[in-house]
Amino acid sequence: MPTTTSSHDPSSPEPSAPERIAASWHRSRLAGVDPVRAHGSLSPVDIDPHGSLYVAADPVLNELAENLDGTTYATLLVDRDCRIVHRWCGRAQVARAFDGLGVDLGASLLEERLGTNAPGTALETRLPVLVHGPEHFAEMLRDFSCFAMPIRHPVTHRIEGVLDITSLASDANPLLRPVVQRAVTDIQRRLQDGSRTTDKQLLLAFHEAVVACRGALVAVGENLTVANQTAQDTLTGADIAVLRILLQDVHLPGATVMDMNLESGESVHVHAEVLDTRRLAALVRIEPREPRRGLSVSAMTEEAREPGTILVAGPPGSGRTSLARELAPSSPITLLTGATTVLEGDGNWAKQFRRRMAAGVGTVIIDGLELLSDALLGVVADALESRTRAHVVMVSAPLAELSEHTAAVAALASRVEEKLPLAARRDEIPGLARELLSGINPDAFLTPGVERMLVEHRWPGNVRELRAVLAHAAARRRFGAIVAADLPPKLGSVPGPRAAVRPLDQAERDVILHELIKHDGNKAAVARELGISRTTLYAKMRALRISTY
């Protein structure tokens, strides 16, 4: 390919560059990549050298090394996070050049960090990409020519990584494409063979265990789910999806126990025997959580009569008020909203509150604790000290957003339930959407494609926004299947390639977002809470594209 001429503007790709390269340059600028200092972002992190991708690719990479030995070519293998898990160079001068640039094991080649480059752009577009010389966004890479191709698992169709062959731009060869394509095909075949072997081992373990197991038993594999009859009667499809998310976060083989809430509302223990961490393979027993021992029925009933205080915290529209009603220990329920103090004044609100508390029966729900004045907060705090009063359930904004005085009253609660934003409870969205829709229009139903679109939306308005979206769709489709065209414009388009997020990645993204919001963006506090270093947190935020919170 021809190189640039001295008259070309270095801040733009070549006029002859493919449309795909021009689009990548545009994304690189939007991401704020500095073409001169981009190499400063190549800070390597520890990687797992024994993952299923590397195991499948190792013999193929060795064959490539034998064929390319002594040439100016190099091979790079990146994982689905665009971290380099393999690097081989045909000559020492190429290795030294890579070392000088920081292109080493564990370095991230994400497009949003390094700009247009073959592995990063291939992962971004999910398509094979050739990036030659000056087509690279970062100046440090413009002496190279690279061809990269995504590696897609033949069973799950998930992108597992990218294979790249790089040469000096002066040595670029059009035969790179078929060489990479053949190598990727071989790696994909080996991935499939490895999955089949793991699935066979998992099935054998399931058949051995199912004879002696009286409860719910499930075998969860990368592309396999087998359950006994008890498990089929207990678990829904959403429960299995959550199980997969939990198991994908287990990094050591052996036995592990986790707690989980089923879609039915039942709390259970998950006893998992992880057979393989390179590929998802676990034998799972589901057992109900036992009620607390030492309390008779009469004692538990008496305990429920104790005028304890419950706090439900969460963002507006997250379903916090509905949860408060569900948790109300006794009837009748009186709802007092903090917003009414703006119209009616503190005096009327305090009078109603004291009267209800003095009655000594039922439950008073204080909706909007953060909206009360300091004087009313004092009234509430005084009332909570009495044992001859009604039950109280307080509803507030997220704990991290409460003022000092409000937080002091919230701290008087003996039980705290924090309602996460809807975007952090994606596994609940399909069931919640079906429930809401049945109340709006029982003659309509959601297609799987629409449910998937609802799960992928960010929901800044939480449950309130979801209800409004479903009401809009139900008004357009009074009977039968609600399809994408029935949704509001912000949801009605088919998601692009980046909308398909792995469940584990989405779960990890939601947890990090929740902690960032909880700690008001304090990265050090979030890293401590998650038990990771700040460097790892920053890397995860970039990989998961977390920029606003």
Side-chain angles (χ1 to χ4, degrees):
M1 294 179 64
T3 57
T4 55
T5 62
S6 58
S7 62
H8 174 61
D9 178 7
S11 65
S12 301
E14 278 293 285
S16 60
E19 181 180 340
R20 195 175 301 166
I21 299 297
S24 174
W25 274 58
H26 179 66
R27 290 192 299 270
S28 302
R29 290 195 187 97
L30 290 178
V33 179
D34 186 332
V36 178
R37 300 181 178 86
H39 64 279
S41 66
L42 291 178
S43 52
V45 299
D46 292 337
I47 55 169
D48 178 13
H50 305 297
S52 59
L53 173 64
Y54 185 82
V55 170
D58 188 45
V60 180
L61 295 171
N62 289 336
E63 183 180 354
L64 280 175
E66 290 179 8
N67 294 333
L68 299 175
D69 190 31
T71 69
T72 59
Y73 289 93
T75 58
L76 296 175
L77 179 70
V78 303
D79 60 17
R80 64 173 70 101
D81 296 321
C82 216
R83 292 281 178 187
I84 300 175
V85 296
H86 161 87
R87 191 197 84 172
W88 174 89
C89 302
R91 286 186 183 176
Q93 68 183 91
V94 179
R96 287 194 296 269
F98 277 180
D99 289 340
L101 298 175
V103 180
D104 205 350
L105 293 180
S108 172
L109 302 183
L110 281 171
E111 192 181 73
E112 63 189 44
R113 300 187 64 182
L114 194 58
T116 304
N117 72 92
T121 303
L123 193 64
E124 179 72 26
T125 61
R126 298 172 177 262
L127 295 169
V129 173
L130 171 67
V131 183
H132 177 74
E135 293 177 349
H136 287 93
F137 189 80
E139 290 184 0
M140 66 177 193
L141 299 178
R142 294 178 183 174
D143 290 333
F144 299 98
S145 182
C146 317
F147 180 77
M149 185 173 182
I151 301 168
R152 193 181 296 270
H153 198 292
V155 178
T156 64
H157 303 293
R158 181 176 62 183
I159 300 287
E160 297 293 336
V162 175
L163 177 63
D164 167 270
I165 293 186
T166 294
S167 71
L168 296 176
S170 57
D171 295 335
N173 191 316
L175 294 179
L176 278 181
R177 181 184 294 266
V179 170
V180 175
Q181 286 175 334
R182 177 184 172 184
V184 166
T185 299
D186 289 344
I187 295 172
Q188 290 176 163
R189 177 182 54 78
R190 291 180 57 82
L191 280 171
Q192 186 174 29
D193 292 343
S195 292
R196 286 172 177 167
T197 302
T198 304
D199 286 346
K200 288 178 182 178
Q201 295 172 346
L202 182 60
L203 277 174
L204 179 61
F206 176 82
H207 288 306
E208 290 177 349
V210 75
V211 177
C213 182
R214 296 183 179 179
L217 182 69
V218 188
V220 182
E222 200 167 61
N223 43 67
L224 171 74
T225 303
V226 182
N228 65 0
Q229 189 60 51
T230 305
Q232 293 178 39
D233 295 338
T234 305
L235 305 177
T236 66
D239 293 332
I240 296 295
V242 174
L243 260 182
R244 287 181 172 275
I245 292 173
L246 292 173
L247 293 170
Q248 285 171 336
D249 207 26
V250 177
H251 303 295
L252 293 173
T256 184
V257 181
M258 300 171 282
D259 290 332
M260 174 180 166
N261 292 323
L262 302 182
E263 192 176 26
S264 64
E266 182 182 5
S267 297
V268 297
H269 291 303
V270 176
H271 298 264
E273 181 70 26
V274 180
L275 307 181
D276 193 341
T277 54
R278 294 175 302 178
R279 297 179 177 88
L280 179 60
L283 203 59
V284 180
R285 289 185 296 109
I286 308 292
E287 294 181 354
R289 291 188 198 171
E290 295 182 1
R292 286 180 297 167
R293 297 178 179 178
L295 285 178
S296 64
V297 174
S298 60
M300 293 176 68
T301 304
E302 190 63 34
E303 181 187 55
R305 293 196 187 103
E306 286 293 319
T309 303
I310 300 172
L311 174 69
V312 178
S318 61
R320 59 186 189 179
T321 305
S322 298
L323 178 59
R325 289 184 178 276
E326 294 175 11
L327 296 177
S330 59
S331 298
I333 297 174
T334 301
L335 180 67
L336 296 178
T337 63
T340 60
T341 62
V342 178
L343 300 174
E344 301 175 4
D346 287 3
N348 189 46
W349 194 96
K351 182 178 179 180
Q352 291 187 62
F353 176 72
R354 288 193 177 105
R355 185 171 64 248
R356 297 296 183 185
M357 294 296 287
V361 295
T363 302
V364 176
I365 297 178
I366 304 173
D367 192 0
L369 187 69
E370 71 278 5
L371 301 177
L372 300 184
S373 65
D374 288 351
L376 286 181
L377 288 172
V379 171
V380 172
D382 290 341
L384 294 181
E385 293 180 358
S386 172
R387 294 184 62 84
T388 57
R389 60 172 174 81
H391 290 95
V392 174
V393 180
M394 300 183 292
V395 180
S396 77
L399 298 176
E401 298 178 15
L402 300 183
S403 67
E404 182 179 354
H405 288 94
T406 307
V409 176
L412 299 176
S414 56
R415 175 182 174 186
V416 178
E417 296 287 341
E418 192 157 9
K419 197 73 172 176
L420 297 177
L422 186 59
R425 299 181 280 130
R426 295 182 186 274
D427 58 300
E428 299 178 16
I429 291 177
L432 179 59
R434 290 192 291 269
E435 180 182 345
L436 291 173
L437 182 60
S438 66
I440 298 171
N441 181 5
D443 295 324
F445 63 92
L446 303 171
T447 62
V450 166
E451 288 188 359
R452 184 172 64 252
M453 294 168 68
L454 296 179
V455 169
E456 292 166 351
H457 186 57
R458 292 185 61 186
W459 299 113
N462 293 297
V463 178
R464 192 176 299 157
E465 181 186 4
L466 175 60
R467 185 182 291 108
V469 165
L470 294 172
H472 173 93
R476 293 173 58 90
R477 183 77 57 174
R478 299 188 179 277
F479 181 83
I482 289 177
V483 297
D486 299 323
L487 300 176
K490 63 180 178 181
L491 285 160
S493 58
V494 178
R498 285 181 58 179
V501 182
R502 292 186 304 141
L504 179 58
D505 288 344
Q506 188 60 65
E508 187 174 36
R509 190 177 196 277
D510 291 341
V511 168
I512 293 175
L513 274 173
H514 171 61
E515 293 299 330
L516 285 166
I517 294 170
K518 177 181 176 182
H519 292 284
D520 198 24
N522 187 324
K523 310 292 193 311
V526 171
R528 284 195 301 271
E529 184 76 18
L530 297 177
I532 59 178
S533 68
R534 273 187 289 178
T535 302
T536 301
L537 176 62
Y538 293 143
K540 287 182 177 293
M541 289 177 64
R542 285 191 293 267
L544 298 170
R545 296 179 174 86
I546 299 175
S547 56
T548 58
Y549 40 87

